[in-house]
Amino acid sequence: MKNNYSKEHKKYLLKTRARVFTIHFSRILLFVLLLLLWELCARFNIIDPFITSSPSRIVKQLGMMINDGSLWHHTWVTLYETILAFSISTLLGTLIAILLYSIPFVRKVLEPYLVILNSLPKIALGPLIIVWIGTGTKAIVVMGILICIVITTISMLNGYLSVEKEKILLLKTMGANKLQIFFRLIFPATFSDMISVLKINVGMSWVGVIMGEYLTSRAGLGYLIVYGGQVFKLDLVMSAIVVLCLLAAVMYFLVSLLEMYVNRKR
Amino acid sequence: MENLLTLKNIQLTYHSPKSETKAIENLSFDINKEDFISIVGPSGCGKTTLLSLIAGLIKPTSGEIVFHSNNSQVGYMFQRDNLFEWLNIWKNVSLGLTFHKRKTEENIAYAKELIEKYGLKDFVSHFPSELSGGMRQRVALIRTLSLRPEILLLDEPFSALDYQTRLSVQNDVFSIIKHEKKTAILVTHDIGEAIVMSSKVFILSKRPAMVKKIINLDFDQSLTPFQRRKDEKYQPYFDEIWEELQ
């Protein structure tokens, strides 16, 4: 470490480090306090643990499910569906955006349709999906895709359209063709849009898949939540939500890692 | 002097749902090899349009643009440097070589030579964000030159720079263009800039644009733009162009 800092600078550094530490510490403290409060309220029957569950009951429930292997099964089913929905919708949505970008006529024609599709609550299509595609994994993945794909298309298209016109002109004067302009300029220039779409889709694909599982499923975390609610096993509902929180956080973290990795490579 | 480019009776009309605008009418001029032409005129008179026409980005409604050379490659420089932030300086400079299979050993060597000659060698692996505005504009010029254009089209390339940087970049660009024996057409709002940079000033009329007057600038060949500003001929030229633009 460099030691030629002035006294004021050292003091400043210390202060910033202390601040960062306090923020982290407070976050953890808040979490622990909330859990403690919840647990105590449940223990002393201030709230009814049959309805609200409690941290200890969730841990017990999770332990049970780990022992009989059902936790892995349900988690894997949902994770599998989510990854499928996430990747298909991101790829397909980006492809559609590229298509719309390169054919302005089609873009203009489809504009109002996109707007309406975007504002339509996709869950309304649930019964249709089941009738057309049937129940089970396929229907759930389609639900997830429907939720993500429109916003992916719109965001990427807007990204492509906002690339500076002058840069496109520049490449044209250099004799680049449409394909070269896309891969040399449009694609790398909209990289940050791509990352933010991935981040949005991480959240949205979970929403879509859980909604799909509410509609039709025999396994998965969404299934556990619905089933637990119906038979009043709130411990089960809470446990599934805890696992969902963890998974969503991990997936978001992975996208951030990807962002950092690619940014460093550039 | 060898004739390089001729514009014959160029006419250009813009169409929009509400109106029809004649941007350029009956515009003709010749450009010789190694000319440095500045084009000045009232704002909105179609100066940039004229460059787009010469670059072949748009087609005239009628009239002809003739290159009297086998090499019709133009180099276009914009107000902003338009460097690609995600590419390093070398990749930015050699960007144009990747199109049309121009990435030959000869062309790469030429680009490297330009980089070395004009003081960018230590920066080839830097990224544009690490360079100053003046440096960035120099990279943009080298990028343009690496394609060996016969003619350089400069669309107010200095107007985004602060005044001090602008003066030094003018010097810089002027000497590089002279050194490489290139022909250049500069569009500018800045009368002073037109006088210090060029060999001829074309004054355009209000829309529809026509050449109102051509002023031949007769400075000592050895003067740099910076020295021209202090030359006694500077002020009379300035007044003459100013008068014409009123």
Side-chain angles (χ1 to χ4, degrees):
Chain A
M1 280 301 287
K2 285 178 201 162
N3 269 326
N4 49 358
Y5 292 145
S6 70
K7 228 182 206 164
E8 291 81 44
H9 192 69
K10 275 183 191 154
K11 217 167 151 190
Y12 163 81
L13 285 180
L14 214 66
K15 217 169 136 190
T16 18
R17 253 177 246 147
R19 191 177 152 73
V20 170
F21 175 78
T22 330
I23 288 172
H24 280 295
F25 181 76
S26 306
R27 280 177 186 164
I28 296 166
L29 189 71
L30 182 66
F31 183 66
V32 172
L33 281 180
L34 280 176
L35 284 188
L36 211 66
L37 187 70
W38 187 6
E39 181 67 37
L40 288 177
C41 285
R43 280 279 160 91
F44 294 106
N45 277 321
I46 299 167
I47 51 174
D48 184 356
F50 181 65
I51 295 173
T52 61
S53 188
S54 75
S56 61
R57 293 173 72 136
I58 292 172
V59 170
K60 215 167 104 197
Q61 176 72 37
L62 284 174
M64 234 162 66
M65 287 167 76
I66 289 172
N67 279 336
D68 66 13
S70 61
L71 184 68
W72 307 129
H73 175 61
H74 290 293
T75 307
W76 170 245
V77 166
T78 302
L79 188 64
Y80 171 73
E81 289 159 352
T82 307
I83 291 176
L84 264 186
F86 173 78
S87 0
I88 295 177
S89 57
T90 308
L91 278 177
L92 213 60
T94 309
L95 272 177
I96 296 173
I98 294 173
L99 212 73
L100 293 181
Y101 174 73
S102 36
I103 315 173
F105 180 75
V106 178
R107 179 170 77 232
K108 285 277 173 232
V109 170
L110 292 186
E111 222 165 51
Y113 294 93
L114 270 181
V115 172
I116 290 170
L117 272 181
N118 189 34
S119 36
L120 176 79
K122 262 63 81 178
I123 184 78
L125 302 174
L128 283 183
I129 295 175
I130 292 173
V131 172
W132 288 347
I133 301 176
T135 55
T137 310
K138 236 196 225 163
I140 296 168
V141 173
V142 168
M143 191 73 229
I145 294 173
L146 275 179
I147 294 240
C148 299
I149 199 164
V150 185
I151 192 72
T152 305
T153 304
I154 291 179
S155 311
M156 287 318 294
L157 184 60
N158 283 339
Y160 297 151
L161 289 173
S162 65
V163 171
E164 289 160 276
K165 300 281 171 294
E166 224 175 61
K167 287 202 164 82
I168 297 173
L169 271 186
L170 173 81
L171 290 193
K172 277 187 186 162
T173 62
M174 288 174 166
N177 60 34
K178 264 192 153 183
L179 213 63
Q180 287 167 325
I181 291 177
F182 187 81
F183 283 107
R184 291 277 159 180
L185 171 63
I186 311 284
F187 195 68
T190 52
F191 181 76
S192 59
D193 298 282
M194 191 81 219
I195 290 290
S196 64
V197 161
L198 288 183
K199 280 181 174 166
I200 293 170
N201 282 355
V202 166
M204 296 296 261
S205 54
W206 284 109
V207 173
V209 163
I210 296 299
M211 259 169 26
E213 286 187 351
Y214 284 1
L215 282 174
T216 162
S217 64
R218 260 169 251 122
L221 296 170
Y223 164 80
L224 289 185
I225 292 170
V226 172
Y227 169 76
Q230 280 165 352
V231 300
F232 254 75
K233 279 173 80 178
L234 277 305
D235 296 343
L236 189 62
V237 175
M238 289 295 186
S239 305
I241 293 174
V242 167
V243 176
L244 265 180
C245 277
L246 288 174
L247 285 177
V250 168
M251 221 157 138
Y252 187 88
F253 178 69
L254 286 178
V255 175
S256 304
L257 270 187
L258 176 78
E259 182 183 15
M260 256 156 52
Y261 171 75
V262 182
N263 272 344
R264 205 176 304 153
K265 267 201 115 179
R266 272 144 53 108
Chain B
M1 277 273 218
E2 196 183 330
N3 197 338
L4 179 65
L5 176 70
T6 306
L7 275 75
K8 252 187 265 172
N9 304 323
I10 298 296
Q11 197 141 355
L12 184 77
T13 313
Y14 278 129
H15 297 279
S16 72
K18 282 194 183 134
S19 68
E20 185 178 7
T21 319
K22 273 195 179 161
I24 294 173
E25 194 169 20
N26 217 3
L27 186 82
S28 303
F29 57 74
D30 286 297
I31 289 172
N32 294 331
K33 236 183 156 132
E34 290 180 48
D35 262 353
F36 199 127
I37 311 287
S38 283
I39 296 177
V40 295
S43 15
C45 77
K47 297 186 292 267
T48 298
T49 311
L50 190 55
L51 289 193
S52 302
L53 280 168
I54 296 172
L57 293 173
I58 48 176
K59 294 260 165 292
T61 311
S62 65
E64 256 188 303
I65 298 171
V66 189
F67 277 91
H68 309 291
S69 132
N70 301 326
N71 180 6
S72 64
Q73 174 72 44
V74 298
Y76 209 121
M77 260 182 97
F78 298 89
Q79 187 170 343
R80 276 170 303 166
D81 50 57
N82 287 307
L83 297 182
F84 290 10
E85 300 295 339
W86 56 91
L87 298 179
N88 67 25
I89 298 307
W90 165 248
K91 285 191 175 148
N92 263 297
V93 167
S94 57
L95 181 68
L97 298 180
T98 46
F99 311 122
H100 288 313
K101 294 183 182 148
R102 276 187 294 227
K103 208 156 190 166
T104 59
E105 268 177 40
E106 193 193 346
N107 283 341
I108 289 177
Y110 179 63
K112 282 192 171 150
E113 188 192 317
L114 287 171
I115 280 184
E116 204 155 322
K117 201 153 63 174
Y118 299 116
L120 291 171
K121 201 180 173 222
D122 296 337
F123 299 97
V124 283
S125 50
H126 283 53
F127 283 85
S129 57
E130 298 168 291
L131 266 58
S132 66
M135 268 306 219
R136 292 175 61 119
Q137 203 54 285
R138 192 191 296 191
V139 175
L141 177 63
I142 304 298
R143 176 186 61 193
T144 313
L145 288 174
S146 71
L147 289 176
R148 304 168 193 260
E150 195 62 60
I151 187 160
L152 288 168
L153 307 173
L154 314 172
D155 191 358
E156 303 192 42
F158 313 114
S159 56
L161 303 169
D162 63 82
Y163 189 67
Q164 226 172 340
T165 314
R166 190 189 309 180
L167 291 188
S168 76
V169 175
Q170 280 170 0
N171 251 349
D172 218 30
V173 169
F174 177 86
S175 71
I176 293 174
I177 288 176
K178 280 276 159 289
H179 205 259
E180 299 297 323
K181 299 191 187 319
K182 295 291 178 198
T183 313
I185 304 178
L186 168 74
V187 158
T188 180
H189 278 115
D190 182 340
I191 300 175
E193 183 172 285
I195 299 170
V196 299
M197 299 285 290
S198 42
S199 52
K200 282 179 202 163
V201 179
F202 289 11
I203 300 169
L204 296 191
S205 65
K206 258 189 282 177
R207 220 167 39 204
M210 288 185 285
V211 179
K212 202 171 166 193
K213 190 164 188 183
I214 297 177
I215 296 175
N216 283 299
L217 299 174
D218 178 31
F219 283 103
D220 188 316
Q221 284 296 311
S222 64
L223 293 186
T224 65
F226 204 76
Q227 290 162 332
R228 279 195 192 184
R229 277 179 202 279
K230 290 178 286 188
D231 197 90
E232 56 183 11
K233 291 176 189 152
Y234 177 84
Q235 199 55 45
Y237 282 139
F238 193 100
D239 296 337
E240 190 181 351
I241 296 171
W242 175 259
E243 280 299 313
E244 287 295 334
L245 285 175
Q246 292 311 299

